[in-house]
Amino acid sequence: MRRCLVVLLIVGFGLIGSANADIKKGATELAIFGNWTGINFESGAAGDADYEDSGALAVGLGYFHTRQIEFGVHGMGNWSKDLDLYSFGGNVKYHFTPDLTTVPYAGGQLNYAVYDSYRRDEQGIMYGPLAGVRYFVSRSVSIFFEYQYQIYDGGINDIVEDAHSIFVGILFRIE
């Protein structure tokens, strides 16, 4: 997975600046992305560990209600040596400069989450703010970098306190 992300970044950065953004009202996008997540556990909830790194793969769909506001749904799986964490939900993003090649955005998310480990299983919700930037490499393809602060509630909150995630991915506009 790391090799694919590195190749994506090298190719994407080589093309940055060669394409203008083409965000349109009513456009739909397919996102494919991976991440690194640092998970903070409740004290003693995950055995001896209070913190663990995990990697994830995810897919999502986004729909532009306006040129700036995008609504999305996504599914994600995080895996590490001691746990599996799955989530499915939605997000909303506000794009600040939809006419430029570099488009920063901010938003929020709400997800149903399932924690699975060899010790115990729990369910709950995950929510929190997100911020990112996307770079257009063509009129219909862009790469993105996103930070998410993830807060957990419900039964899963007995195990996971919060998490910090860095996402890297590619977006394809679906015509």
Side-chain angles (χ1 to χ4, degrees):
M1 181 175 104
R2 287 183 184 172
R3 288 182 186 162
C4 290
L5 290 175
V6 169
V7 169
L8 172 71
L9 291 174
I10 290 169
V11 170
F13 277 123
L15 297 172
I16 288 175
S18 64
N20 291 325
D22 194 19
I23 297 176
K24 296 179 180 176
K25 178 180 177 179
T28 303
E29 292 182 323
L30 171 66
I32 302 169
F33 49 101
N35 80 0
W36 164 85
T37 299
I39 299 172
N40 296 309
F41 295 106
E42 290 291 339
S43 182
D48 296 332
D50 286 335
Y51 173 86
E52 187 163 302
D53 290 329
S54 72
L57 291 176
V59 296
L61 284 174
Y63 173 79
F64 280 90
H65 180 67
T66 68
R67 292 192 71 226
Q68 289 84 21
I69 299 172
E70 178 185 20
F71 295 102
V73 295
H74 55 267
M76 181 174 16
N78 278 37
W79 301 276
S80 69
K81 73 174 184 152
D82 292 327
L83 69 93
D84 295 337
L85 184 61
Y86 303 97
S87 64
F88 176 79
N91 60 48
V92 62
K93 298 174 184 175
Y94 181 84
H95 295 77
F96 293 101
T97 57
D99 293 323
L100 301 178
T101 301
T102 302
V103 183
Y105 60 87
Q109 62 183 325
L110 179 63
N111 299 283
Y112 170 74
V114 176
Y115 172 92
D116 182 26
S117 78
Y118 66 92
R119 298 179 204 275
R120 64 196 270 198
D121 300 336
E122 291 291 344
Q123 304 173 40
I125 61 169
M126 182 267 287
Y127 61 95
L130 58 87
V133 63
R134 57 190 293 172
Y135 303 99
F136 279 83
V137 295
S138 75
R139 292 181 66 81
S140 60
V141 177
S142 58
I143 59 172
F144 72 94
F145 304 90
E146 182 174 296
Y147 167 78
Q148 293 182 359
Y149 177 62
Q150 300 171 347
I151 304 163
Y152 293 86
D153 207 354
I156 202 168
N157 188 41
D158 295 338
I159 301 169
V160 179
E161 183 176 329
D162 62 7
H164 300 272
S165 288
I166 304 294
F167 290 83
V168 177
I170 189 165
L171 296 159
F172 301 96
R173 185 174 66 211
I174 302 168
E175 298 290 335

